Amino acid sequence: MILLKKLKTAKGFLAGVALASVAFFFIHARTSDPYFEISKNLDIYTNLFKELNTYYVDPIEPGKLVKTGVDAMLDDLDPYTNYITESDIEEYEFMTTGKYGGIGASMRRKGDDIYIGDVYENSPAQKAGLHPGDLIEAIDKQNVKGKTIDELSILLKGSPGTQINMKVKDAFKHTESDKLITRGEIEISSVPYFSLIGPQNNIAYVRLTQFTQGCGRQVRDAFDSLKRAQPGLKGLVLDLRNNPGGLLDEAVNVCNIFVDKGQVVVNTRGKIPDMDKEYKTPGNVWDKDIPLTVLVNHSSASASEIVAGTMQDLDRGVIIGERSFGKGLVQITRPLGFNARLKLTIARYYTPSGRCIQALDYAHRNADGSVGYMPDSLKKKFKTRIGRTVLSGGGVEPDIHLKDEPMSMIAVTLYTKNYLFDYATEYASQHPTIGPADKFSLTDAEFNQFAKWIENKDYSYKTETEEGLDSLKRMAIREKYYDDAKDEFESLKNKLSHDKKQDLLKHKDQVKQMLENEIASRYYFVRGRIAQGLQYDIELDKALALLDKQSEYQALLKPGK
């Protein structure tokens, strides 16, 4: 009441306004200060964690709880900003180095059982006599039935030189045995295959699967080897399909194989100007004139796009395939203590023309939290060195666009249910050897044997049309229209019902190629898979045809194209 009387006077009113202004300024300053917000919310988080730990009815797992919270927080950013726990460090280092300690084999799960998948060439697994299709029964006397592949992977990995005892059931002899295997340093080569190809064997082909440490040198060495074998090379094919990227420095090194020293490959720009950087080719060029084609698809991302985009911007090569993924962001890792790290996005990168090929704008999400692709209307035009038009956003658009044939449902089903894998094991048990991987194919009689083998197997599936009809039926039932249209639904269902045998014949070529590829891997490992698959490679065929006709190649690299 006394305060009210004072505020009724002019002096009291002005004093009240001043006091309120000071209070507002103080509150506003505190709430708008980002460091205050950080400090406040960290205190809240710490107190919340203490209360949970003290009073929650059941015991909690602090590490698991923190990771869940951090992951949820980072989900609001981009998918490349991740919290790497101490237990995840080895997996992260494998992604950047291609190395890990283990036996050198991948796993395949079927029900509660886990089988040996691919065996890596010259690995401890191969030397111990393991081969694809062997059933893993126990590791160091621990039964592994029902375990996940991740759980089994933890048991198999370890420091090089340490030993592991595996009980396995041989896929060929069906006998059980114990194998004492000494773990080694497993290095997955980023260049698993390279070869001379083409009718005259005068085109150099190199497959690069990831940008790990030293991969630039591996690519250069591969081209060196092919050039020595065939001094009169007519052209190069660099295959970056399904390459998810990796180290930016290595992307620069790969570009350096084809362009002069001192050429700007990429610029990075982010929040902190002092961290912006210009990356130039550091060494002497391997060959700056030989015709080059680069194969990409929608799974070519990040460092792959730097290489493809730079070759396109500098008019150094022709890009063939599908539009690339569109990842124009750069990450670094920061230590968090206790051997944990934060991998976070710090910048966007820009190719020599000045464009950024980032397709998704994570900073501006839709109301439902989803992220949309950049519309064509917002893509900006840039010019290559000789004046060709290229666009920002949406990945690298190839100079020659070829779309891959989509996988049929029967092919997907036969793969996911491991029937292709199982039959390849059976085929290998009956055929000690096969011809060269790059020429291997099944005869029609051999494919018919496979078709007979799966006759009594359960590989049922629904086509997209059948799934759409089921969805429409559920909607009709919910809205009470189904009873009146029941006969029409049943008639349409019968018309759309697929015949598995007919589907197998209809998609015979696709299924046959996948089966051949699986079989080839039994004899020639990963390089066999790649070599065998090149027989049916539409993008590669186009690259070879283009390199054979230099006039067409040069025409694509002229202004206005």
Side-chain angles (χ1 to χ4, degrees), residues 55 139 142 148 159 161 226 254 262 290 313 327 332 359 371 422 457 481 496 504 532 537 547:
Y55 297 111
I139 295 177
Q142 181 180 343
T148 66
S159 300
L226 297 173
V254 171
I290 191 168
D313 285 0
K327 180 178 180 289
I332 63 169
V371 182
D422 290 343
K457 303 288 192 297
Y481 292 120
L496 294 176
L504 185 61
Q532 194 281 328
D537 198 319
L547 292 170

Side-chain angles (χ1 to χ4, degrees), residues 530-549:
I530 298 171
Q532 194 281 328
L534 296 182
Q535 295 181 70
Y536 310 106
D537 198 319
I538 297 173
E539 290 88 354
L540 179 59
D541 289 344
K542 183 63 180 178
L544 294 176
L546 185 66
L547 292 170
D548 190 52
K549 297 179 180 178

Side-chain angles (χ1 to χ4, degrees), residues 72-314:
M73 175 176 66
L74 299 181
D75 277 346
D76 281 341
L77 305 177
D78 62 63
Y80 315 110
T81 298
N82 310 123
Y83 171 46
I84 305 170
T85 65
E86 183 175 14
S87 60
D88 296 330
I89 284 295
E90 186 173 320
E91 185 67 25
Y92 170 74
E93 290 179 345
F94 168 65
M95 292 170 61
T96 58
T97 66
K99 300 177 182 179
Y100 71 95
I103 68 168
S106 65
M107 306 292 126
R108 292 288 286 266
R109 185 182 175 89
K110 291 189 291 181
D112 286 338
D113 294 324
I114 298 181
Y115 294 77
I116 298 291
D118 283 325
V119 173
Y120 305 144
E121 200 165 3
N122 299 318
S123 66
Q126 186 201 6
K127 293 172 183 175
L130 295 177
H131 37 65
D134 288 348
L135 171 65
I136 303 174
E137 296 184 329
I139 295 177
D140 290 333
K141 298 184 179 180
Q142 181 180 343
N143 191 304
V144 299
K145 192 176 186 67
K147 288 189 178 294
T148 66
I149 288 181
D150 286 342
E151 289 171 336
L152 198 66
S153 179
I154 292 172
L155 295 176
L156 291 175
K157 289 180 180 178
S159 300
T162 59
Q163 291 186 319
I164 183 173
N165 188 288
M166 292 182 64
K167 184 178 181 180
V168 299
K169 185 176 182 180
D170 190 281
F172 298 162
K173 301 175 182 177
H174 306 294
T175 56
E176 295 179 347
S177 63
D178 289 311
K179 295 183 180 292
L180 186 64
I181 304 174
T182 301
R183 295 183 180 95
E185 182 178 80
I186 309 301
E187 182 172 2
I188 308 299
S189 175
S190 293
V191 182
Y193 185 78
F194 59 92
S195 179
L196 291 169
I197 56 175
Q200 306 300 320
N201 276 339
N202 58 358
I203 305 294
Y205 171 89
V206 173
R207 171 74 65 90
L208 178 61
T209 56
Q210 54 187 341
F211 286 81
T212 53
Q213 290 175 6
C215 74
R217 171 52 59 188
Q218 291 180 42
V219 174
R220 186 181 288 251
D221 289 346
F223 279 128
D224 270 338
S225 175
L226 297 173
K227 196 171 190 178
R228 285 193 298 270
Q230 177 57 273
L233 286 178
K234 194 170 184 178
L236 311 177
V237 179
L238 178 63
D239 193 345
L240 298 178
R241 290 172 297 181
N242 302 310
N243 185 322
L247 301 176
L248 190 154
D249 286 334
E250 292 298 337
V252 177
N253 291 336
V254 171
C255 289
N256 199 175
I257 297 171
F258 313 113
V259 297
D260 278 325
K261 180 179 181 178
Q263 169 63 50
V264 175
V265 171
V266 68
N267 286 283
T268 62
R269 297 198 291 272
K271 180 189 290 186
I272 303 174
D274 288 346
M275 296 183 71
D276 293 350
K277 190 172 180 181
E278 182 178 73
Y279 292 81
K280 295 182 179 181
T281 49
N284 295 323
V285 62
W286 179 78
D287 194 321
K288 65 179 180 179
D289 298 315
I290 191 168
L292 168 69
T293 56
V294 181
L295 306 183
V296 297
N297 62 10
H298 194 55
S299 296
S300 304
S302 190
S304 295
E305 296 174 291
I306 290 176
V307 173
T310 299
M311 296 303 101
Q312 191 175 58
D313 285 0
L314 300 178

